[in-house]
Amino acid sequence: MSDKTQDRVLPRLVMISGPIASGKSTLAGELARLLRLEDFSVALTDLDTVAEMALPTLPSWDWAHGVHAQLVGAWLRTDVDVVVDEGTSNPAEVQQVLDQVPEGTDVFHVVLTADLDASLARARADSGRGISQDATFLRGDHEAFARHLPHLPSDLRLHVEGREPAALAREVLARCSGQGSAPAL
């Protein structure tokens, strides 16, 4: 860890939760980029990448969730400075990850909210997406997320529409490091 990183105190784990196509991956990638610019070592973990490792033969998303949780825990048992994780969307998924987190680990929870129509447009613009491009499927996911939202742990809730990912990432970085507002980077 460089002298620069010792000036800022950060949680070891930043968990980003939200509905499908809300920008979780984009925000996580941008946050990891900003942290790396400040000389932090960062492990970026996400559920979809874990699932892709077993496609097209993935027997169950439950398997992917389990492996994903174990991966987060494994990274936290290394000397990496920060783990940025995304992919959870309900309290049970969050808890499954937290069950793998070493005791005493400082966790900062970010919850994203997004408009259904904008999420559908994002999903349809991404040629790598499958079922999430279907309006009925995505509506069901967003409705389920809305029911879970009051029960999700949240240190910071961000509505993503009309905001650039870099600005959202700066806000997360500022808030999780206790600075209150986004620093100029």
Side-chain angles (χ1 to χ4, degrees):
M1 189 180 306
S2 73
D3 290 338
K4 185 176 182 182
T5 61
Q6 293 174 6
D7 294 339
R8 186 184 291 237
V9 177
L10 291 171
R12 282 287 320 281
L13 173 59
V14 178
M15 286 189 74
I16 302 171
S17 302
I20 292 174
S22 61
K24 296 181 301 291
S25 297
T26 302
L27 174 58
E30 183 62 19
L31 179 59
R33 186 187 74 78
L34 291 177
L35 288 166
R36 289 172 180 145
L37 286 173
E38 292 194 18
D39 295 327
F40 287 95
S41 59
V42 180
L44 177 57
T45 58
D46 73 275
L47 176 64
D48 288 344
T49 298
V50 169
E52 288 169 4
M53 293 175 185
L55 291 176
T57 59
L58 180 67
S60 165
W61 273 92
D62 291 340
W63 285 22
H65 282 284
V67 172
H68 168 247
Q70 292 171 21
L71 179 63
V72 172
W75 273 115
L76 288 167
R77 288 175 179 81
T78 71
D79 289 333
V80 70
D81 294 320
V82 181
V83 176
V84 176
D85 178 61
E86 66 89 3
T88 56
S89 62
N90 67 54
E93 293 170 359
V94 170
Q95 189 59 54
Q96 187 172 22
V97 172
L98 293 176
D99 287 346
Q100 298 297 318
V101 171
E103 188 174 332
T105 300
D106 188 18
V107 181
F108 189 83
H109 295 273
V110 179
V111 176
L112 302 184
T113 60
D115 298 338
L116 176 60
D117 290 339
S119 295
L120 184 58
R122 278 189 291 276
R124 288 183 171 166
D126 183 350
S127 63
R129 288 191 179 261
I131 189 73
S132 62
Q133 294 181 332
D134 178 79
T136 302
F137 173 84
L138 195 61
R139 182 177 300 104
D141 176 77
H142 277 245
E143 289 171 355
F145 178 78
R147 287 190 303 276
H148 292 297
L149 183 59
H151 310 288
L152 281 168
S154 176
D155 297 302
L156 176 62
R157 187 181 296 182
L158 297 170
H159 189 72
V160 302
E161 306 312 343
R163 301 193 58 198
E164 292 296 318
L168 293 167
R170 286 192 303 274
E171 184 170 350
V172 171
L173 183 57
R175 292 287 298 277
C176 74
S177 63
Q179 295 181 351
S181 61
L185 295 178

